[in-house]
Amino acid sequence: MIALLVQGLAICSVSWLLWKYFRQVVVKSPLDNIPGPPSGSFLYGNYKQILDRNGWGFLNYLTDSYPGIAKLYGPLGRRILYVFDPTAMHNIIVKDQYVFEEASWFVRTNDIIFGPGLLSTLGDHHRKQRKLLNPVFSIAHMRRMIPVFNQVGHRLVKAIDDRVRGQDAAVELDMLSWMGRTALELIGQAGLGYSFDPLTADSPDSFAEAVKAFMPTNLKIVFLRRMEPYIPNFGSPALRRWLVKFIPNPDAQKMQSIVDTMWRGATEIYEAKKLALEQGDEAVTRQIGEGKDLMSILLRANMNAEEQDRLPEVELIGQISTFIFAAMDTTSNALVLTLSLLAEHPEVQQKLRQEILDASKGEDLEYDTLVSLPYLDAVCRETLRLHAPVAQVFRETRQDVVLPLSEPVRGLDGKMMHEIPIPKDTTVVVGLLSSNTNKRIWGEDAMQWKPERWLSPLPEKVTEAKVPGVYSNLMTFLGGGRACIGFKFSQLEMKVILCLLLSKFTFAKSDKKIIWNLAGVRFPTAGDTGKASYPMKVALYKPTSA
């Protein structure tokens, strides 16, 4: 009898999984009428094209060939949507953001990797976390970060100066490594009241190495991550992290080691902050940041919050782990992108350097001056427009929904469609980079890096499009309730570091072949090693006499 019951349960479970997955394949769908490219293969659909590290050409093809929406195929024939129409994006990430939720594989695997932080929660749980965290990233707190940013930035300048001074020619340095170490130390001191790296040694410590190895390793197991929703959800994230060691895959084992290193570091930071707060104000002021760092502010706010609004310890540790990864990888890669573009355009590099030198006069810039430098702002905005660190995000519909469009599209049946009915459980890919480079909005020069476009009023088509991004008519930092909570922190960090570096050094391209890899966060590799790296030729800046 028990054997028959177990057999029946097994049959029902398998049948449910098959129906859940193959329903879209066998049932006719309104998505069938939407134009799109052919499937790459039945097994993978178009996933290998949009997830391939060299998939930039395919994203450009989608951007140039389709009017804001295209039908793609997922594994085994499942239909998915690729969207960069501004009205449709507004509905996805703002108006109906709780219908278009984060993909299940993304949330569940992030819970295993980072713990229950902002990247791992949904609905009311996410809103509760966000409510407590939003005030931490206010402009008032950002202003107080400037001295810390400058202090860390000067340590970076000294480290580079020690390596290039006295050399007859420019010295080749891995600027990705230096930017990653600097970004980690900045989020450490300004965000967590903790020092990771004095920026003196030639190579980073094990923690920084682990965080920087995350994205290249993640790229190798991306299809494993997408299988997670079809695995029973049992035990704690810690238990599931432990079980990963039994997966016979070297990249999965490496990811487990990276995650364990990050989690140990986050726990150590939390315990130190908690102990200092328990010991009183004197102990807090003895810590790095003197209790003015973002995590100290968060812990105090959590202690003073109503009981129903407080976050448990595991979620606070999850926020630390999330902050470290998000603040280090995206900002450091964006800084390297900016330096690489300045190396390709030496005239822009010198113009920006002169603006910085004229404003600073040898002194550190105050907040109000820093954020008001027009050319610095234009260079940063244009880099983040054309080279958004995150190219696309995935959503899944939790119920049937109708998606309106800003402009009608012609269906395969020849009829014009003003809105698209989307069935429950449909995967939707939001093309952040496609929106930023959409020629229908930004003009025919959308694929050109032109900082000057930000020095005059933007074209009417840009403002009229009402792109739902939280930053400068761009989707770089997303929008809605899941917009990047630390985008002001990131912008400030970029500007401080660029000002300090360009005042002292010149940057030129290396002779090595560099490839920018499409990933969850884009990253560069040099040569054929596969290791994240970006060598550049760095020299002391020598002003020419008038």
Side-chain angles (χ1 to χ4, degrees), residues 67 192 249 285 306 310 314 354 359 362 439:
L192 307 172
N249 181 296
T285 56
E306 297 291 334
R310 287 180 198 153
V314 68
Q354 196 59 55
K439 292 178 181 176

Side-chain angles (χ1 to χ4, degrees), residues 100-125:
F100 294 89
E101 282 279 25
E102 289 275 15
S104 299
W105 65 266
F106 181 80
V107 172
R108 287 178 58 172
T109 55
N110 280 344
D111 191 35
I112 296 171
I113 293 168
F114 303 115
L118 280 177
L119 295 177
S120 318
T121 52
L122 299 171
D124 290 338
H125 193 180

Side-chain angles (χ1 to χ4, degrees), residues 324-370:
I324 291 169
F325 165 72
M328 176 178 171
D329 226 33
T330 52
T331 308
S332 60
N333 290 6
L335 275 165
V336 171
L337 273 163
T338 307
L339 290 174
S340 70
L341 289 162
L342 293 173
E344 291 175 17
H345 301 84
E347 73 288 351
V348 176
Q349 182 178 159
Q350 182 53 35
K351 181 177 179 180
L352 176 56
R353 178 180 292 110
Q354 196 59 55
E355 179 184 72
I356 294 166
L357 291 172
D358 290 344
S360 64
K361 296 181 173 60
E363 300 291 332
D364 291 338
L365 293 172
E366 297 292 334
Y367 177 89
D368 290 328
T369 305
L370 186 71

Side-chain angles (χ1 to χ4, degrees), residues 235-249:
S236 67
L239 173 62
R240 280 175 274 153
R241 279 197 298 274
W242 179 78
L243 289 173
V244 170
K245 69 169 63 176
F246 298 105
I247 299 176
N249 181 296

Side-chain angles (χ1 to χ4, degrees), residues 159 163 178 181 197-205:
R163 286 156 178 79
W178 284 108
R181 294 170 65 180
D197 187 347
L199 299 177
T200 55
D202 286 327
S203 59
D205 66 5

Side-chain angles (χ1 to χ4, degrees), residues 30-31 94 150 207 218 246 351 388 412 462 506:
L31 305 184
V94 180
N150 279 319
F207 191 90
N218 180 67
F246 298 105
K351 181 177 179 180
L412 296 177
V462 175
T506 62

Side-chain angles (χ1 to χ4, degrees), residues 3 40 52 97 134 136 212 227 237 239 258 264 381-382 393 400 428 495 498:
D52 185 86
Q97 59 183 296
N134 273 332
V136 174
K212 211 59 191 168
M227 294 301 296
L239 173 62
I258 291 169
R264 281 195 303 270
R381 287 175 192 261
E382 183 67 352
V393 295
D400 293 349
V428 177
K495 290 181 177 181
L498 287 172

